[in-house]
Amino acid sequence: MTSIAEASGRVVALARGMRDLVRAEAAESERNRTLTDPIVDEMWATGLMSAFSPVAAGGVEPPLADTIEMWIEMAWQDGSFGWIGIANLPSRFAAATYLPDDGFAEVFSAHDNHVTMGGQFFPNGQGTAVDGGYRLSGSWSFGSGIGHSQYIAAGFFPMDNGEMRWISEGIPDMRVAVVPRDDIQFNDGWYVQGLKGTGSYDYSAQDVFVPHSRTFPLFTREPYRGSSPATRMGLMPVTAAGHASWALGVAKSMLDDVADLAATKYRMSDMAPLASRPTFQKGLAHHVAAWRAARLLVLDAFTTAEAAVAAGDDLTPMLRADLRAAAVYATDTARSCAEWAHLVAGTSSIREGSRLERAFRDMYTGTQHAFISEKVAIDCAQVWLGIIEDQFGL
């Protein structure tokens, strides 16, 4: 019903090939509070886990349009599986792209590139500068995808003699440490409303030594390896593409499922199926159209920025504002579609374990993320209006 043109990209096909397994394992992933081993193993066996990474790390460096369609497909299959797609794959991409050569050799080459990575990049830790690196301490929440990760990403503020390091007026230095799993303490089992299968545990580190070579600047757009434009766009645009794609994928699953349900769904006291009701037909037309428009906005914003970077242009504040605004808009639209589908499905959408029920919980968990919040939309508007020249976090 809401089918889109078949994408020709290899990574989309890899994701689509996971459908049967993900459907079969979705309930067990929720019970485990992290993806099951069969799903993770198949992601590695097919090349899906490494696909977004630079070629040097075993990836294929797909164009952003294919990557977005891949993430939409993954989230359509299951919200938790889709969230792993926008957590493990970008985490791995960032480390493989921006770690110095010694760090890349230690983390990737030494393990034949078979490295899963997740975590929290926001600088909730402090790294005391010492000879050769940092002594890292801190606590991080929502470490997406770390339930099955060999290395954990942890954002931190470098500290020199107890003082925060500044890279320009009003902007502190912020870096990401890549830490072996054995050096991390896991603090809870991720008991939440939705996205239960993502292994997004809280975690901490206490006075862990991390060499310079296993850290990189949070906002860098200067790759050590990789030739795709995404490597020169930085982690924030990649993360924005992921959030937009994830929300679109979960919403599409609900629109598709409620359309399938409508042919046989009878509401109490109705003599005809839901599909025959004009109010349902109008609502379906409106929300499918809104979903398609949001998807096209996301593709347009990200491919425009990608083309500019590929041509050697800077990723300007205006382009970055366009990307983040598109992600917020797609998320808001997806949430509206999910709410409508939940309501029209009636009691079919509240039965525990159904795709509709799980997708609804996932949607209202994933869209709480600060990365696609009202504050981001305001920052974008202020750039467009010329009130501020830039917002470094965009």
Side-chain angles (χ1 to χ4, degrees):
M1 181 276 310
T2 59
S3 62
I4 56 179
E6 290 290 314
S8 61
R10 172 183 169 190
V11 295
V12 184
L14 293 179
R16 191 173 293 116
M18 298 285 297
R19 284 188 175 187
D20 290 344
L21 178 62
V22 169
R23 181 184 287 270
E25 296 285 323
E28 187 64 20
S29 291
E30 285 219 328
R31 285 190 289 270
N32 289 349
R33 308 282 171 166
T34 190
L35 283 193
T36 63
D37 289 343
I39 294 178
V40 176
D41 291 346
E42 187 66 10
M43 290 178 73
W44 275 111
T46 61
L48 182 61
M49 186 69 84
S50 59
F52 187 53
S53 298
V55 171
V60 297
E61 302 189 36
L64 279 178
D66 283 0
T67 304
I68 288 166
E69 300 290 12
M70 173 190 70
W71 280 329
I72 290 174
E73 166 66 26
M74 293 177 73
W76 179 89
Q77 294 177 32
D78 175 64
S80 289
F81 180 58
W83 197 265
I84 289 302
I86 71 166
N88 286 152
L89 274 62
S91 296
R92 195 180 190 283
F93 159 87
T97 300
Y98 303 119
L99 281 179
D101 289 343
D102 287 350
F104 180 85
E106 178 185 354
V107 174
F108 289 92
S109 301
H111 299 94
D112 294 325
N113 288 330
H114 197 287
V115 176
T116 309
M117 193 173 303
Q120 171 60 263
F121 286 68
F122 191 80
N124 283 337
Q126 292 186 350
T128 300
V130 295
D131 186 31
Y134 302 92
R135 305 297 306 190
L136 177 69
S137 296
S139 296
W140 296 264
S141 297
F142 310 122
S144 296
I146 63 175
H148 52 268
S149 294
Q150 290 84 40
Y151 280 86
I152 312 300
F156 71 98
F157 292 108
M159 306 293 289
D160 297 314
N161 299 315
E163 298 292 331
M164 190 174 291
R165 184 184 300 167
W166 300 86
I167 57 175
S168 62
E169 185 176 353
I171 301 178
D173 191 8
M174 290 175 270
R175 299 186 71 83
V176 178
V178 177
V179 186
R181 184 182 187 88
D182 289 346
D183 289 341
I184 293 292
Q185 292 80 52
F186 297 89
N187 302 332
D188 74 37
W190 183 235
Y191 296 96
V192 286
Q193 177 188 35
L195 294 178
K196 292 182 178 182
T198 60
S200 301
Y201 308 138
D202 292 353
Y203 61 102
S204 59
Q206 185 61 43
D207 198 35
V208 173
F209 176 72
V210 182
H212 284 297
S213 59
R214 273 199 277 113
T215 73
F216 60 88
L218 176 59
F219 294 110
T220 185
R221 295 197 288 272
E222 299 177 4
Y224 279 92
R225 57 201 63 82
S227 59
S228 70
T231 64
R232 301 190 299 281
M233 294 173 71
L235 189 55
M236 297 303 109
V238 166
T239 303
H243 277 279
S245 305
W246 178 85
L248 288 170
V250 175
K252 185 176 188 295
S253 80
M254 295 189 71
L255 290 173
D256 287 352
D257 286 359
V258 82
D260 291 342
L261 175 71
T264 57
K265 174 73 176 181
Y266 288 77
R267 302 299 297 269
M268 187 176 295
S269 77
D270 277 357
M271 302 301 293
L274 183 62
S276 68
R277 295 173 59 180
T279 52
F280 173 80
Q281 295 164 3
K282 177 183 181 299
L284 183 66
H286 172 82
H287 288 93
V288 169
W291 184 91
R292 290 176 177 174
R295 170 184 166 271
L296 289 174
L297 172 65
V298 169
L299 288 171
D300 177 71
F302 282 89
T303 57
T304 297
E306 181 182 45
V309 173
D313 297 334
D314 290 334
L315 190 63
T316 63
M318 193 71 72
L319 283 172
R320 288 189 286 114
D322 289 350
L323 300 179
R324 296 297 296 276
V328 172
Y329 179 80
T331 300
D332 290 346
T333 300
R335 188 192 299 114
S336 176
C337 291
E339 181 180 10
W340 176 82
H342 172 79
L343 290 173
V344 297
T347 56
S348 298
S349 65
I350 66 171
R351 296 195 178 278
E352 189 172 0
S354 71
R355 262 172 55 97
L356 274 168
E357 183 265 346
R358 186 169 62 245
F360 185 73
R361 286 189 287 105
D362 289 344
M363 178 65 77
Y364 274 85
T365 300
T367 56
Q368 293 283 19
H369 202 288
F371 204 85
I372 31 80
S373 68
E374 180 183 66
K375 168 66 164 57
V376 175
I378 292 170
D379 289 341
C380 294
Q382 289 184 347
V383 170
W384 290 340
L385 291 167
I387 296 173
I388 58 175
E389 289 187 12
D390 195 3
Q391 207 325 325
F392 71 91
L394 289 177

